Amino acid sequence: MSVRHSGIGMTSQRTRMRMIERLRKQGIVDEVVLSVMGSIPRHIFIEEALASRAYDDISLPINFGQTISSPWIVARMSELLRADSHLDKVLEVGTGCGYQTAVLARLVREVFSLERIGPLLTRTRMRLQELQVRNVYLKHADGLHGLAEAGPFDGIIMTAVTTHIPSSLLEQLIVGGRMVFPKGSQKQHLCVIERNSQGYIETILEEVNFVPILSGVVRR
Ligand code: SAH
């Protein structure tokens, strides 16, 4: 695997910089997020046949009917989650290929990430090890239950769409924490839920397009 990475690596720095420029033009303002995305090789998260399109602003298939989110989605969700504040502990639901996870790992002290499809997670685990990402704890689990034993979290990010977030998951946010996720069914929008001392405040943002959240786990 390392051989093919170094091959593409020759040109990928320049390609990544073009991606960052495009994200800025598309309205991403958090320079910390942009700098992290400028340093992570997105092409290694994608099957070789599609790797040449890794830096285009599109989502791509990653097996098991799932997709890697587009660069704009990753950047936008990361900046909404960060909101220019320090994040200590974050929970991610829907690890997928692990690209968003790797971005988070550079923005946050500790990332906990849950994925329901076992074989997808096995592959992602290898990839993150190869990139020497060490502050991420991956678990094969139904993420809708969250990970109460590791919480509470400063932030929760969910990368699959749902109409409703269970209150047991929202309760794993600290007061002052926020959750970012796609909300809806046919029509979907990015949604931020902030927890304050009185309760939860929801804000609906851009229209998006995600695969649905599913319950239960897939073992093979
Ligand atoms: N951020 C990922 C997105 C992958 S697509 C990436 O860019 O690669 C959404 C992911 O959420 C899929 O991998 C899917 O298997 C996972 N998922 C869906 N429902 C889930 C659930 N209940 N618990 C954990 N993961 C879930």
Side-chain angles (χ1 to χ4, degrees), residues 62 66-69 92-100 114-117 120 141-144 159-160 211-216:
I62 53 166
Q66 306 307 316
T67 52
I68 178 175
S69 302
E92 177 184 46
V93 176
T95 318
C97 71
Y99 176 68
Q100 172 83 71
L114 309 176
E115 171 57 55
R116 67 183 286 275
I117 302 179
L120 196 55
D142 182 341
L144 278 173
T159 63
V211 295
I213 197 93
L214 298 170
S215 60

Side-chain angles (χ1 to χ4, degrees), residues 87-92 108-112 146-156 168-178 195 200:
L87 295 172
D88 196 43
K89 243 196 302 184
V90 161
L91 176 69
E92 177 184 46
V108 175
R109 187 178 65 83
E110 213 176 2
V111 180
F112 297 81
L147 195 63
E149 64 268 34
F153 301 98
D154 301 312
I156 301 179
S168 58
L169 184 55
L170 287 176
E171 280 160 18
Q172 293 177 30
L173 275 178
I174 61 161
V175 171
R178 49 175 48 210
R195 182 174 195 181
Y200 299 93

